[in-house]
Each structure stands twice: as C-alpha cells, then as structure tokens.
Amino acid sequence: LRFLPNVAGNGLVFRLGRHLEKTSRQASNDLRGLFGNFLEAHIESLFRDATRNRSVRIFREQKYGSPEMKSSDLVLFDGETAVFIDVTATRFNQRESVVGLNDSTIERDVRRFVTDKVTREIARCVRDFRAGTLAFENIDPTKIKHVYGLVISPQGVPRLIGLTRIIDRLVPEMPEGLSDWEFFDVNEVETLPKIFPGTLDLAQLI
C-alpha cells in the first residue's frame, strides 16, 4: 500500500491507461477500476489506523433503493458526527489544465472530480440517509447532528485564489444536509495516522 502515493502522484497508472486504450478500451477500463478499488481500500485502512482507539464505525459502498443506487465510497460515524467520503481516481488533465492552464478545462476538471461529487453524489446520499432510504446497521439518523462531505483524490489540488473562486462559484451555498465539506489528496490522508495515532476525532477533521 505504501507504493500507492508514488503511483498516484506521478501518473503512471493514468499514462498506462491511456496506452492500453489504444489497443483495448476494456483493458484500460479494467485497470482504472482496479486502481479505484485499490485507492478506496487504502483510504479505508488509513482511517481505521487513525481512529482505532475510538468507537468509529466505517462502512464501505453499498447498494440501496429502487431504482438501485450506490452509497458514498466510505461513510464514517463517530458519536454524533458522520463523514460521507467519495474517493475519486480522477485527476487534472495534465496537458490542458496543469501545463496549459486552460481556464475552461480547469473548471471542467474541478466540476468533474470535486464539486459534482459534493453537490450531487454526497448530497444525495446524505438526503437519503436522513430520509431512511439509505440505512447503516445500528445507526440512527436522528442521533447524527453533524454531517460532513469529503472528496479524496490521488492528486493534490493547489489552494490557489483562482481555483478557490472557481469552487466558490460552482458551490455558492453549502449543500443541503451538510455542515461543511472539504477535499484532500491521498498524501494528506496518509498523514492522519501519524498525527493522530488512533485518536482522530472526526468532528475536528473538516
């Protein structure tokens, strides 16, 4: 698992995926799916390490409802606090966003793997949780007072003023049901067990 940050950071998985796409789109999709599953498992293990001495319950993605939908990739409960986490294997377009600094491409990327995850997917799961459609074993929605959204990506998103303004424009108001939300990269999450060895309080995470 410690190999993950290097793979995620330098884009080897993404470059290999693009190469495979030239010969087999299915193989490329399989690789990205494998990487996504691996990333989710890694994030789960980090949060388990960071909260092991607390009464935190962690749930992986589950299917629910009719028509069938999927919950957030990870949902953590700690007392009266819940954190709905979406782990995305998507990153900025290297050529147009990172190198070319194309405004429209940057906004498209931010919308695709940050803000849409919060305003659509996480917000939906929170609404369904409050309504009782999305249920977690022995968790009473009425006892949860604070719900946070968290998007985790393999690539760091620089906290630049221009980028912050794009996010503020795409998410002008706090999504219904959320107390707050944030986005981290894998390396930031990896520091949690080191800073909070088993003692992480989810209420202070965001």
Side-chain angles (χ1 to χ4, degrees), residues 184-199:
F184 294 165
D185 63 53
V186 174
N187 290 329
E188 288 175 305
V189 180
E190 286 191 321
T191 66
L192 295 178
K194 301 172 185 176
I195 300 174
F196 307 99
T199 62

Side-chain angles (χ1 to χ4, degrees), residues 2 8 21 26 29-30 33 41 52 60 74 76 104 109 113 122-124 133 138 158 166 169-170 173 192 195 199:
R2 298 306 174 191
E21 199 168 45
Q26 183 60 50
N29 290 338
D30 288 346
R52 63 179 180 273
R60 293 291 298 270
L74 292 170
L76 285 60
S104 61
D109 289 345
F113 78 88
I122 291 179
R124 168 182 57 79
T133 308
N138 296 325
I166 291 176
R169 186 171 72 252
L170 295 177
E173 299 179 355
L192 295 178
I195 300 174
T199 62

